[in-house]
């Protein structure tokens, strides 16, 4: 039976051996929280969620809303130029239900060299104009 190694540990078995990236193997997980009030944000509006420092690697995100964001409003989470880097534009209609998100490309990307400003982009329809809010927790690992 063949044995292969993940990208993250392959260097440990090479000759000469190398250490794994401490940001993704044994790194510390850090949360960046963003609370956003639903204020009828229009299509193409953006909301700055967090400023992530260099050296961090995206792990996953969680969205929790106090009320539905509407059946037609979609939101994407990413960065300027790549608005769906971490979450493709989709509806979010689950109130009080924490929901994981993360794209394969976002999770497998290398650690940030320059840091980045993570944004939420409203697409397809405006968010509701209500007293509701939602929380986006972004989790990154770093050495």
């Amino acid at each position: 039976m063949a044995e292969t190694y993940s990208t993250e540990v392959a260097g440990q078995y090479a000759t000469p051996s190398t250490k794994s990236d401490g940001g993704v193997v044994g790194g510390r997980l850090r949360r960046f929280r963003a609370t956003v009030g639903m204020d009828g944000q229009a299509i193409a509006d953006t909301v700055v969620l967090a400023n992530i420092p260099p050296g961090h690697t995206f792990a996953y995100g969680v969205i929790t809303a106090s009320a539905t964001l509407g059946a037609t409003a979609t939101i994407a989470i990413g960065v300027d130029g790549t608005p769906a880097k971490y979450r493709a534009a989709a509806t979010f209609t689950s109130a009080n239900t924490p929901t994981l998100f993360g794209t394969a490309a976002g999770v497998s990307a290398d650690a940030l060299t320059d840091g980045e400003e993570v944004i939420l982009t409203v697409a397809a329809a405006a968010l509701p104009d209500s007293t509701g809010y939602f929380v986006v927790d972004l989790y990154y690992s770093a050495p």
Side-chain angles (χ1 to χ4, degrees), residues 8-30:
E8 293 76 15
V9 300
Q12 296 174 15
Y13 297 91
T15 303
S17 65
T18 59
K19 292 183 178 181
S20 296
D21 178 355
V24 295
V25 176
R28 294 176 183 249
L29 199 59
R30 294 177 172 100

Side-chain angles (χ1 to χ4, degrees), residues 37-136:
M38 289 186 242
D39 195 20
Q41 292 92 336
I43 296 172
D45 281 2
T46 60
V47 177
V48 175
L49 300 176
N51 289 300
I52 310 300
H56 284 71
T57 303
F58 180 74
Y60 61 93
V62 179
I63 300 175
T64 309
S66 66
T68 180
L69 273 62
T72 57
T74 62
I75 56 172
I77 297 174
V79 297
D80 187 35
T82 312
K85 181 177 181 179
Y86 299 124
R87 182 183 192 267
T91 59
F92 190 76
T93 57
S94 302
N96 296 309
T97 305
T99 304
L100 289 170
F101 68 86
T103 63
V107 171
S108 65
D110 292 333
L112 300 174
T113 55
D114 297 327
E116 67 184 7
E117 181 180 80
V118 179
I119 59 172
L120 175 144
T121 303
V122 179
L127 294 182
D129 189 8
S130 71
T131 58
Y133 63 93
F134 58 98
V135 177
V136 179

